[in-house]
Amino acid sequence: MQKRNLTSQKVVETYIELAGETSLNEVTFPRIAERLGIKAPSLYNYFKNLTDLRVHTAIYLHTNLNNRLMADLIGQTGRQALRTYALDYRQFANDYQSVYELLNTIPSFNNDELASIGRKNNQIIVKILNFYHLSEKDLIIKNRAFRSLLNGYIMLKQLGYFQKGNLSDDDSFSAVIDEFINSIKEK
């Protein structure tokens, strides 16, 4: 690839692609450069270092997740909105399994842009939960529980859990989400 055709988004997409072929920790600037057909120092025109690339990849992921959620949640409230959010989030995590951990790096990178887009995705959950007229305390608890449930389930599944039994992954995930939704008591 010629340098003039290279963009920061193309570098991020190549990073994600390579992580899918090996692992996130095995992707280096030299490997990215080789895939792009450029010299590794050229990547420093786009990112300060690998950590900077990770931050921008996390921003890219959160932005794409936000766009997907906003499109799919139009006109939905309550139970259906929570279910749609959960299914979209899980599908997104599956689509980006090799870099999924970057969705959960907001505090460790201390980056304002990343924190901002992460808050937008969290605010979607808050808006959905506002349908239930929860107290402020219950809203915080249910928000944290929902995010923990999604992240925990997805991470355990990616680590190889939930392989045994008569319940498919889809059925199991749906049942877990239903349990959570049924636990919400409207005020």
Side-chain angles (χ1 to χ4, degrees), residues 127-145:
K127 287 178 183 179
I128 294 169
L129 290 171
N130 279 333
F131 172 83
Y132 293 97
H133 307 289
L134 302 170
S135 69
E136 185 176 342
K137 178 183 175 186
D138 287 342
L139 180 64
I140 292 169
I141 290 168
K142 289 299 182 186
N143 180 0
R144 290 177 180 173

Side-chain angles (χ1 to χ4, degrees), residues 98-159:
S98 62
V99 291
Y100 172 72
E101 69 185 72
L102 293 177
L103 280 177
N104 301 303
T105 58
I106 294 171
S108 63
F109 285 132
N110 194 24
N111 178 281
D112 291 340
E113 186 179 359
L114 178 56
S116 176
I117 189 63
R119 276 191 299 276
K120 284 181 183 180
N121 289 335
N122 185 46
Q123 285 303 311
I124 294 171
I125 299 170
V126 170
K127 287 178 183 179
I128 294 169
L129 290 171
N130 279 333
F131 172 83
Y132 293 97
H133 307 289
L134 302 170
S135 69
E136 185 176 342
K137 178 183 175 186
D138 287 342
L139 180 64
I140 292 169
I141 290 168
K142 289 299 182 186
N143 180 0
R144 290 177 180 173
F146 187 63
R147 290 185 296 138
S148 297
L149 179 149
L150 292 176
N151 188 51
Y153 188 98
I154 289 164
M155 290 185 74
L156 288 171
K157 176 68 179 154
Q158 288 181 355
L159 290 170

